[in-house]
């Protein structure tokens, strides 16, 4: 059994991620009595204790549903220390050592832009803070294959591989874990789950908000790096992989890496890049920026199971709603007995955000003389009320040394390899209006496979479309 980390160091304490997701996660741990005794926040500028405490309180009130347990909140406040200083300076890391107050096995969590990863990792090493410690790295891991390799080399020159935890928070979501479970816990699925029966697969990740205060980060990333190459590719891997030998880290990584390795390298005409009107006027965004806020892709996984089955992925900001949905489009029946042959064939739909549900669409006859019917969705809905928030779960797992929900080196590099060409060789962004489904060019990409199916997050579970 791996020893538990005895402190958490949060680099990027004043950042968006800490504010939106990490403080609420730490509070949830405190409520369960599972908070580490020491949490050290690190960020660029000096702050008084009062400012630090207010920041944490405001975040939990706004993003974490409010403070419902006073003693747990007090415990969190007491655990927190803060170090303000330049990540390039050894003094910052000396101050961190002092703030750790004798903790021997800290987990260093890099919730900072990827451009700072190497500096922080090197300085942790130089300060002797890597010994018996863990390193938790936030995605994107690098900007492309070359920088991912470089980052890995730096991380592994300071930390052993089994102490490095690469977070893709999608893997900590119940609905995503359910994809793995649903696929391999149900025997009826397996015979259908291949190119003989599946015509295409499509996936939409829509967000109805823009880049907000994250313009500076977004300018270095764009949608492909921000959410497609990681979150959506992880979903592709769960859908497309062969049964792993076990649910353990190594076997899962190997099965996922095989999917990425089998991806046909993407080319410029497999991709549409969009940018919402107004993006160039956002804070910290270049007035002539060519960074995409929308991507649509067509990709192929050339394994015997999936050869020539197109996978369509789209993700974007300022779209009509906020949802993630996957649809597996089955082929039509081989005979055409009925008057309505040619209608949309069966499909399986996974709603992954904001709720979790699975709908299997089957045709059912309408009442009357004619043999016509319609697709009716048979539903299984998940009540997510008891869900542990992804960061709560993942930080807890990392501090306990359980890597099964993290991403391995091989899979990271294989995923970058698949997109490496189109990161540089790609069409210019096409403008789209906020509140629409992105550029029309993206519709053309999928036109031969029935078009995009828009998710409808308002829909009540158990209804029919
Ligand atoms: C993050 C991206 O990884 O995922 C964001 O950086 C995106 O741009 C977010 O909004 C979506 O995740 P969630 O869990 O908030 O839906």
């Amino acid at each position: 059994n791996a020893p538990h980390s005895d402190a958490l160091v949060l680099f990027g304490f004043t950042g968006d991620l800490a504010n939106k997701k990490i403080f609420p996660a730490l509070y949830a741990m405190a409520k369960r009595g599972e908070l580490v005794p020491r949490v050290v926040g690190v960020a660029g500028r000096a702050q008084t204790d009062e400012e630090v405490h207010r920041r944490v309180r405001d975040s939990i009130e706004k993003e974490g549903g409010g403070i419902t347990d006073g003693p747990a909140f007090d415990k969190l406040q007491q655990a927190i220390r803060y170090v303000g200083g330049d990540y390039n300076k050894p003094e910052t890391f000396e101050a961190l050592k002092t703030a750790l107050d004798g903790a021997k096995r800290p987990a260093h969590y890099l919730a900072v832009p990827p451009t700072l990863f190497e500096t922080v990792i090197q300085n942790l090493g130089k300060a002797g803070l890597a010994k018996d410690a863990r390193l938790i790295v936030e995605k994107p891991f690098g900007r492309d294959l070359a920088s991912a390799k470089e980052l890995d080399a730096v991380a592994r020159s300071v930390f052993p591989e089994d102490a490095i935890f690469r977070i893709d928070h999608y893997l900590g979501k119940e609905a995503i874990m359910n994809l793995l479970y649903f696929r391999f816990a149900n025997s009826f699925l397996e015979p259908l789950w291949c190119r003989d029966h599946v015509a295409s697969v499509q996936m939409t990740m829509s967000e109805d908000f823009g880049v907000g205060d994250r313009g500076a980060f977004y300018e270095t990333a764009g949608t492909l790096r921000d959410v497609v190459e990681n979150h959506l590719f992880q979903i592709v891997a769960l859908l497309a992989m062969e049964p792993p030998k076990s649910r353990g880290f190594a076997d899962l990584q190997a099965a996922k890496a095989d999917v990425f390795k089998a991806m046909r390298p993407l080319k410029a005409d497999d991709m549409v890049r969009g940018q919402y009107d107004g993006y160039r006027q956002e804070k910290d965004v270049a007035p002539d920026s060519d960074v995409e806020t929308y991507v649509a892709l067509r990709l192929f996984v050339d394994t015997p199971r999936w050869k020539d089955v197109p996978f369509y992925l789209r993700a974007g900001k300022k779209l009509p709603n906020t949802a993630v949905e996957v649809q597996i489009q089955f082929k039509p029946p081989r005979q055409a007995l009925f008057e309505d042959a040619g209608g949309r064939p069966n499909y399986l739909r996974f709603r992954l955000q904001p709720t979790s549900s699975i709908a299997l669409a089957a045709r059912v006859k309408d009442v009357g003389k004619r043999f016509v019917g319609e697709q009716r969705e048979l539903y299984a809905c998940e009540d997510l009320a008891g869900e542990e928030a992804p960061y709560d779960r993942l930080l807890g797992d990392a501090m306990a040394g359980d890597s099964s929900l993290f991403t391995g080196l091989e899979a990271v590099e294989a995923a970058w390899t698949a997109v490496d060409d189109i990161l540089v060789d790609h069409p210019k962004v096409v403008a789209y209006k906020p509140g629409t489904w992105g550029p029309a060019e993206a519709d053309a990409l999928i036109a031969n496979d029935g078009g995009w199916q828009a998710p409808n997050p308002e829909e009540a579970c158990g209804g029919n479309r």
Side-chain angles (χ1 to χ4, degrees):
N1 259 358
H4 205 283
S5 303
D6 57 1
L8 177 71
V9 180
L10 173 57
F11 289 91
F13 188 82
T14 53
D16 187 69
L17 181 63
N19 180 44
K20 280 204 181 124
K21 313 257 170 138
I22 311 304
F23 299 140
L26 294 176
Y27 175 52
M29 289 178 193
K31 284 206 269 192
R32 289 200 308 277
E34 288 172 9
L35 186 70
V36 280
R38 178 67 68 236
V39 175
V40 185
V42 190
R45 59 190 157 81
Q47 291 196 80
T48 63
D49 283 354
E50 203 193 332
E51 280 170 313
V52 167
H53 288 175
R54 193 172 339 109
R55 182 177 286 280
V56 176
R57 176 183 288 277
D58 288 352
S59 150
I60 294 167
E61 280 174 353
K62 188 157 169 264
E63 312 283 346
I67 294 159
T68 51
D69 182 336
F73 180 71
D74 292 344
K75 202 164 206 178
L76 172 60
Q77 297 282 51
Q78 283 153 20
I80 292 181
R81 298 285 178 280
Y82 179 76
V83 173
D86 188 335
Y87 293 147
N88 288 297
K89 295 210 170 123
E91 300 91 274
T92 308
F93 293 80
E94 286 309 314
L96 168 58
K97 214 184 264 178
T98 311
L100 276 168
D101 202 16
K104 295 203 162 44
R105 296 181 306 278
H108 301 289
Y109 175 31
L110 271 49
V112 292
T115 42
L116 295 170
F117 287 173
E118 295 191 16
T119 311
V120 175
I121 294 171
Q122 301 276 24
N123 284 329
L124 283 171
K126 285 187 197 143
L129 285 166
K131 191 172 166 304
D132 296 328
R134 295 194 168 104
L135 178 71
I136 310 173
V137 199
E138 188 55 48
K139 53 116 291 233
F141 317 112
R143 305 196 68 249
D144 52 19
L145 181 60
S147 58
K149 283 188 164 164
E150 190 186 314
L151 169 63
D152 273 321
V154 172
R156 283 179 303 128
S157 69
V158 178
F159 292 86
E161 175 61 18
D162 65 1
I164 303 174
F165 293 76
R166 299 172 186 84
I167 286 200
D168 181 319
H169 80 282
Y170 260 51
L171 297 176
K173 290 181 186 263
E174 279 296 332
I176 309 277
M177 289 187 251
N178 186 44
L179 280 182
L180 176 70
Y181 184 84
F182 186 81
R183 255 205 79 190
F184 298 113
N186 292 308
S187 58
F188 76 89
L189 220 54
E190 181 57 23
L192 298 175
W193 211 253
C194 62
R195 63 193 304 263
D196 296 339
H197 297 282
V198 175
S200 66
V201 175
Q202 65 164 277
M203 192 174 299
T204 295
M205 173 181 184
S206 55
E207 295 184 313
D208 65 3
F209 47 88
V211 297
D213 292 336
R214 299 169 74 219
F217 162 72
Y218 224 76
E219 283 285 280
T220 67
T223 307
L224 182 62
R225 289 186 176 91
D226 184 34
V227 299
V228 177
E229 181 271 343
N230 30 65
H231 301 334
L232 296 194
F233 270 29
Q234 288 294 329
I235 298 175
V236 172
L238 290 169
L239 295 171
M241 71 187 178
E242 296 305 313
K245 289 201 188 74
S246 78
R247 198 169 60 76
F249 174 77
D251 290 333
L252 267 177
Q253 290 312 311
K256 287 183 184 173
D258 284 347
V259 172
F260 301 137
K261 285 180 193 163
M263 277 184 184
R264 240 178 252 174
L266 282 148
K267 296 286 167 234
D269 56 3
D270 295 318
M271 160 152 101
V272 173
R273 300 169 71 240
Q275 187 187 73
Y276 62 79
D277 283 338
Y279 172 73
R280 293 175 185 179
Q281 285 77 53
E282 300 275 22
K283 189 168 144 246
D284 301 326
V285 168
D288 58 350
S289 174
D290 184 52
V291 167
E292 80 280 356
T293 61
Y294 174 101
V295 168
L297 288 182
R298 175 182 48 218
L299 62 85
F300 294 91
V301 178
D302 282 335
T303 55
R305 188 190 287 268
W306 295 113
K307 190 157 175 33
D308 296 332
V309 176
F311 284 69
Y312 298 98
L313 278 48
R314 64 173 175 171
K317 305 257 185 224
K318 292 232 177 174
L319 299 188
N321 58 32
T322 300
V324 180
E325 208 169 275
V326 172
Q327 298 207 10
I328 313 293
Q329 180 62 61
F330 293 106
K331 293 185 173 173
R334 291 182 189 152
Q335 74 293 332
L337 286 185
F338 306 116
E339 288 92 311
D340 57 356
R344 187 175 177 202
N346 302 152
Y347 58 90
L348 185 61
R349 184 165 70 88
F350 295 94
R351 159 67 52 74
L352 305 172
Q353 294 273 295
T355 50
S356 171
S357 61
I358 300 171
L360 176 63
R363 292 196 81 89
V364 179
K365 186 184 169 303
D366 292 342
V367 173
K369 282 198 196 315
R370 296 178 64 224
F371 275 80
V372 297
E374 61 189 316
Q375 294 284 1
R376 297 270 187 87
E377 292 191 336
L378 316 172
Y379 277 90
C381 296
E382 210 55 52
D383 180 0
L384 292 179
E387 180 181 27
E388 217 176 320
Y391 278 100
D392 183 356
R393 162 123 195 197
L394 294 172
L395 289 180
D397 280 5
M399 286 190 281
D402 176 353
S403 55
S404 52
L405 294 177
F406 292 81
T407 314
L409 185 62
E410 192 190 358
V412 166
E413 292 187 359
W416 279 122
T417 305
V419 296
D420 219 35
D421 287 350
I422 54 164
L423 286 172
V424 280
D425 179 13
H426 52 221
K428 279 205 168 322
V429 292
V430 184
Y432 62 95
K433 292 219 158 10
T436 67
W437 283 106
E441 285 80 347
D443 297 336
L445 197 68
I446 195 177
N448 291 340
D449 278 293
W452 295 106
Q453 305 294 329
N456 170 16
E458 301 298 321
E459 146 200 276
C461 189
N464 257 307
R465 308 195 132 194

